[in-house]
Structure formats: C-alpha cells, structure tokens
Amino acid sequence: MSESGNWGTPLVADRRYPARAASGGGGGNGKRSGGKSGGGTPPPRKPAPRKPAPRKHGLIVTMILGLFSLIWRIIWGVGWRVTAVLALIVFGASFYFYQQLPPVTDLVDARARGSVTMLDRDSQVFAWRGETFGGMIDAEHVSEHLRNAVVATEDKRYYQHFGISPRGIASAVRINLSEGRGPLEGNGGSTITQQVAKLLCLGVQYDPAQWKTEAAYEEDCRAGGVWRKIKEIPFSFAMEAKYSKAEILTIYFNRAYLGAGARGFEAAAQRYFGKSANQVNPAEAAMLAGLLKAPSRYAPTNNLKRAQDRANVIIGLMEEQDYLTAEQANDARAHPAELSEAAAKNAGGFFADWVME
C-alpha cells in the first residue's frame, strides 16, 4: 500500500447546539477558558449601595421613648380589662331588667287614680277633671304626621340606634358646657327609649307609702344625676331587646304628659282639638309634639300663640327631615292648629269644680 498522507478535507460533525456563553466555560470539563475563544471577560459588577447605619438615639431620648412605651402598655393592658368588666356589668344589668319588664299593655296607663270627663245633654265634652287618659293608642295606627313629628323632634336617629345615641349625648354635653351649665344639666341627649325608661321610673313602681303623691313620685323619677343616667343605659338596652321600636313608641304615646291634665297623645288630641290622635293633621301633630319639651309652658290652653310658634319649629324639623314636602310645610304654617270649642272656652269652670266636690 502506498502512503498518500492526504485523503482530502477532514470530516467535521455538524454543530447542533449553540456555543456556551463565555461565563459557562469553554470545555466539557466546565472550566473557564483563558483564551480569546472563551467569549471575552464579563463586565464588572457595580458594588451594592451601602445601607445607612441605624441612627443611635441619645440616652435621654431612649429613656423617654421607653417610658412612653411602658405607659402605653400599661394603659392598653388595663384599658381592655376594664372595658371587658364594664361590658359584662352592663350585659348583666340589661339581662336583669329584661327579665323584669312586663308586657306592653301593662305599661300604657301611668295613672294610679282615674279622671272624670263631664258631658253635656248632647253627649259633648263639657269639662275634664283629673288626669285624662283617652285610652290606649297603637303607634302603628296613629296619624302618620304625629308619629313623624315626635321622631323628628325628640330622636331623629330613633330607628338606627339600639337605645343609646353616643352622638346625641356628646352633642348635649357640648351644648350644656357652651352655655355654662354642667355636662349633664339641661340637654341630656336622651333618646326616645331613654325617655320611656325615665317615664317607667326605671322599673320602680309607685308606692303610696314611699311617696305622698303621684306628682312627688314622678318628680323623683324625672330627677337627673349621674347614677340615674348610668342606670338608664342597661334599662334602655333591655327595652330595645324586649320590645320593638313600635312598641316603645306605643308606651311613649300613652304615658307622656302633655299639659292640661292630658296623659298620652290620645287624651291630648281630644282635650285640645276634640278629635282622636289618628285624625290630627300636620299642624296639630306638630303642636302636640311640641308639648313634650315643656307641657305646661306650651299648652295651647295657656297660650295659643306660644304653642303655635313652637309648632312652627317642629314643622321646620319635619320638612328638614323629609317628613313633609315644602308645600305641606307651608300649608301647615299658613293654617296653624286651633283649639276646639270646648278647649277654647276652658269649659267647666267653677261649676265643674263644684260637681267634683
């Protein structure tokens, strides 16, 4: 065989995979290639920015911060425990009052003694003597205007709260302090539920052996004070749990004193207007609701003009809270409530007194 030494161009396999990056090494052993065939040197990395060293407070600042932290931990630790204890006390007191509350029908008539209504030969009212109770009325069936007037005047958030209105109490405290009174003197910020609790004397029944007259009993029930205000809270919660909103209004409508010996809105509507409480118009409803603030002062039998002026304030509240349209409000102002013939004459006089004797 002859030696040729040259068989032509050497065979080279096709490259099926891309060449490794320079950072990955040049050979199968994974070592970085030192020559130019390695793909060149990688760019230098930028050094990571240094984090600023934490600022060290001075000794005095550190002590002050530590003192504040300690005080906060003490306040928090004591605060939530006191709150929990108070919540348990309120819950227990509310449950106790809840167990004592009777049915609504047992609470509508606040009088321990009756009254007398005198009629003439035509069966028309001639005179009243004593505190008149016109009979039980249902808050769901009285005049819509009367129901709206009372809520707008006494407790516009009545249907939203659960017996107590912190916003109302805070507002009343602010008003009292701004007028130079004590925080709980004057405006009390009471909800309708709290007013009913006061009318019920927080569940204390009238005892002739303890109070000489019903007037003395009611005066004691209306007395203010921090302790009585505190007791109103669980009693109001109990009422809200026991009764519906309509039932609480029913108690209110039947027990509230509205001047001229009228106990309840039915008696007041009959006494002043000669009609039932479910028939009063917006002007008459506003006048009746206005009596709640000061029954004797705003009684229309004492001063009709003053009662009408007070009613105009209530009409404004009803319009503001969308219970009356502007047209209805203007009509009520243009046609104020007037007394019935018997009420205007202050019927009875000395003859009725002689009959009573």
Side-chain angles (χ1 to χ4, degrees):
M1 182 181 297
S2 60
E3 296 182 9
S4 62
N6 185 7
W7 290 84
T9 304
L11 297 175
V12 180
D14 294 336
R15 177 172 292 176
R16 300 184 179 182
Y17 303 99
R20 289 189 179 183
S23 61
N29 57 3
K31 295 181 179 179
R32 182 186 296 271
S33 171
K36 293 181 180 181
S37 61
T41 58
R45 294 183 178 179
K46 293 182 179 180
R50 289 185 177 182
K51 295 182 179 179
R55 185 177 179 181
K56 294 183 178 180
H57 299 291
L59 178 61
I60 296 178
V61 175
T62 302
M63 292 177 62
I64 293 175
L65 293 176
L67 179 62
F68 276 115
S69 177
L70 176 62
I71 293 174
W72 169 250
R73 287 198 298 268
I74 292 174
I75 292 175
W76 172 252
V78 174
W80 75 263
R81 289 174 173 83
V82 171
T83 302
V85 171
L86 290 177
L88 287 174
I89 293 174
V90 170
F91 177 80
S94 300
F95 182 76
Y96 170 78
F97 287 131
Y98 178 90
Q99 296 291 95
Q100 305 299 316
L101 288 172
V104 172
T105 52
D106 294 347
L107 300 175
V108 293
D109 189 356
R111 302 165 309 143
R113 62 178 185 271
S115 62
V116 175
T117 300
M118 302 180 190
L119 306 179
D120 62 17
R121 68 181 66 185
D122 298 320
S123 297
Q124 299 298 315
V125 174
F126 172 70
W128 300 272
R129 288 298 181 268
E131 287 192 354
T132 307
F133 179 67
M136 177 179 173
I137 55 172
D138 190 336
E140 294 182 334
H141 297 97
V142 299
S143 167
E144 179 184 11
H145 302 303
L146 178 58
R147 185 169 59 249
N148 293 338
V150 171
V151 172
T153 306
E154 296 298 313
D155 188 1
K156 65 181 180 180
R157 286 182 288 271
Y158 175 67
Y159 294 104
Q160 283 75 49
H161 61 66
F162 196 69
I164 303 295
S165 176
R167 190 188 308 179
I169 295 174
S171 176
V173 170
R174 178 180 57 80
I175 293 172
N176 292 335
L177 292 177
S178 66
E179 295 181 357
R181 297 191 297 262
L184 297 179
E185 297 176 0
N187 291 293
S190 297
T191 63
I192 287 178
T193 308
Q194 287 177 277
Q195 293 181 49
V196 173
K198 191 173 293 185
L199 287 173
L200 298 177
C201 205
L202 302 178
V204 178
Q205 300 295 325
Y206 171 63
D207 182 2
Q210 185 174 356
W211 294 278
K212 293 182 179 180
T213 63
E214 286 184 74
Y217 163 72
E218 293 184 354
E219 184 66 25
D220 184 43
C221 293
R222 287 193 296 266
V226 177
W227 176 240
R228 188 178 292 272
K229 203 72 177 176
I230 290 173
K231 287 178 67 177
E232 281 182 14
I233 295 176
F235 197 92
S236 298
F237 287 157
M239 290 185 61
E240 291 279 349
K242 183 84 170 183
Y243 309 128
S244 67
K245 291 287 187 180
E247 288 175 328
I248 294 173
L249 275 179
T250 294
I251 300 171
Y252 193 45
F253 284 166
N254 285 278
R255 291 187 73 102
Y257 180 70
L258 297 169
R263 178 73 65 174
F265 281 90
E266 179 67 15
Q270 294 175 7
R271 175 68 65 94
Y272 299 130
F273 310 127
K275 61 176 67 173
S276 174
N278 60 14
Q279 298 173 331
V280 296
N281 59 35
E284 293 165 342
M287 184 174 287
L288 291 175
L291 295 170
L292 290 166
K293 182 176 182 179
S296 298
R297 174 176 173 77
Y298 292 113
T301 49
N302 289 341
N303 190 317
L304 181 59
K305 181 62 169 61
R306 182 189 296 157
Q308 291 173 340
D309 291 341
R310 172 64 179 164
N312 284 337
V313 175
I314 310 305
I315 291 169
L317 292 174
M318 295 174 71
E319 182 183 8
E320 179 185 318
Q321 298 175 39
D322 297 327
Y323 290 123
L324 292 177
T325 63
E327 182 180 357
Q328 289 174 317
N330 290 333
D331 182 71
R333 295 187 187 98
H335 303 90
E338 298 287 349
L339 291 171
S340 67
E341 184 179 354
K345 292 180 179 179
N346 195 16
F350 293 110
F351 178 74
D353 294 338
W354 175 76
V355 171
M356 290 299 297
E357 291 177 3

